[in-house]
Amino acid sequence: MKRQKVIVWVILSWVGVFFSEAKSQSITVGADCVSSYIWRGSYCGSVSIQPSLGIEYKGLTFGAWGSTDLTSPDLELDLALGYVFKGFEVAITDYYFNEVDGVEYNYFKYRNGKTSHTFEATLGYTFNEKFPLSLSWNTYFAGADASYDKKRTYSTYVQLSYPFRLWSIDMTAGVGITPWRGIYADKFNVVDISMRGEKSIPITQSFSLPLFAGIVFNPTTDKAYLIAGVSF
């Protein structure tokens, strides 16, 4: 699939630009350990390790994020290229899963029907520090998007989130909807209502352990999840 190959080439080309401008970069490395992997209101795995690598250069961002389920051979690797400017964010993300419904997929396969890569476009906006409401629109436009009658559905997830502080705990409330049928629901629906709290627990005078916990409700599937995790 030529379009997907071009997208991957563009992402990898920008990685080269980032590393060639090392003096101007901001690089972050981290990992989370979570009790279960819940994404956009859906259960995606049990206890998981989720490493990440991020590079920022003059508003341009490149990120690599992965998830390894400790109770199964399932692996996920996501690459994202984005740009942030005055509260606006645009991004393209490549989601890859090594196994879907018991079928294994090679990484460098991009042809429709033979790939587990899914490409998503994101447009987001965060208002300001006094009113830090964030809105994002995320749409699959290529790859292994769910389809009906052999037509692409352009599965879309729209999210509102608002961070606040409560009793010295950093909280985030969020609501996610899908405007039409796709991988999230078979019609317009609310698929994700969540609340998450984060707090660093002092271990020594120079080291604190960042902990987080959250609750997620999916009215479409009648499911609820309570998750916890630690960041490194």
Side-chain angles (χ1 to χ4, degrees):
M1 189 182 294
K2 292 183 179 180
R3 181 168 54 178
Q4 283 88 330
K5 290 182 178 179
V6 169
I7 293 169
V8 172
W9 180 85
V10 170
I11 291 176
L12 294 178
S13 296
W14 274 112
V15 175
V17 172
F18 287 139
F19 280 104
S20 67
E21 298 288 344
K23 294 182 179 179
S24 302
Q25 292 172 14
S26 173
I27 300 177
T28 58
V29 178
D32 292 340
C33 179
V34 295
S35 58
S36 56
Y37 174 18
I38 310 299
W39 182 71
R40 295 180 178 175
S42 297
Y43 180 86
C44 298
S46 62
V47 179
S48 300
I49 300 295
Q50 300 175 334
S52 62
L53 170 66
I55 306 173
E56 189 274 334
Y57 172 70
K58 295 183 178 180
L60 288 169
T61 61
F62 172 78
W65 183 93
S67 184
T68 301
D69 190 319
L70 299 184
T71 63
S72 75
D74 294 346
L75 300 173
E76 178 181 350
L77 173 60
D78 306 335
L79 302 178
L81 177 66
Y83 182 68
V84 179
F85 178 74
K86 293 185 177 180
F88 287 96
E89 177 188 7
V90 293
I92 293 177
T93 303
D94 168 18
Y95 299 98
Y96 165 75
F97 300 88
N98 71 318
E99 185 174 307
V100 180
D101 296 329
V103 179
E104 293 186 2
Y105 290 88
N106 293 327
Y107 188 86
F108 295 102
K109 294 288 186 181
Y110 300 101
R111 183 177 301 176
N112 273 336
K114 296 185 177 181
T115 185
S116 66
H117 286 271
T118 308
F119 295 89
E120 179 182 78
T122 295
L123 176 62
Y125 181 71
T126 300
F127 285 84
N128 52 57
E129 292 184 0
K130 293 183 178 180
F131 182 60
L133 178 69
S134 294
L135 170 66
S136 67
W137 180 288
N138 312 271
T139 297
Y140 287 168
F141 64 89
D145 185 17
S147 61
Y148 299 84
D149 303 325
K150 297 182 180 181
K151 294 181 180 179
R152 186 171 299 282
T153 62
Y154 296 99
S155 297
T156 295
Y157 178 82
V158 181
Q159 184 182 49
L160 283 168
S161 63
Y162 189 85
F164 59 98
R165 192 167 179 82
L166 180 65
W167 300 320
S168 75
I169 299 176
D170 294 321
M171 306 290 295
T172 302
V175 176
I177 66 170
T178 185
W180 49 71
R181 69 177 183 178
I183 66 167
Y184 307 104
D186 59 2
K187 60 182 179 180
F188 171 88
N189 232 318
V190 178
V191 297
D192 184 2
I193 301 173
S194 65
M195 182 74 72
R196 170 170 162 152
E198 302 181 24
K199 185 177 179 63
S200 292
I201 306 300
I203 304 300
T204 67
Q205 291 185 346
S206 59
F207 176 73
S208 295
L209 191 63
L211 302 177
F212 59 87
I215 188 168
V216 179
F217 300 96
N218 187 332
T220 303
T221 60
D222 290 326
K223 300 291 185 181
Y225 309 95
L226 183 64
I227 59 175
V230 58
S231 300
F232 299 96

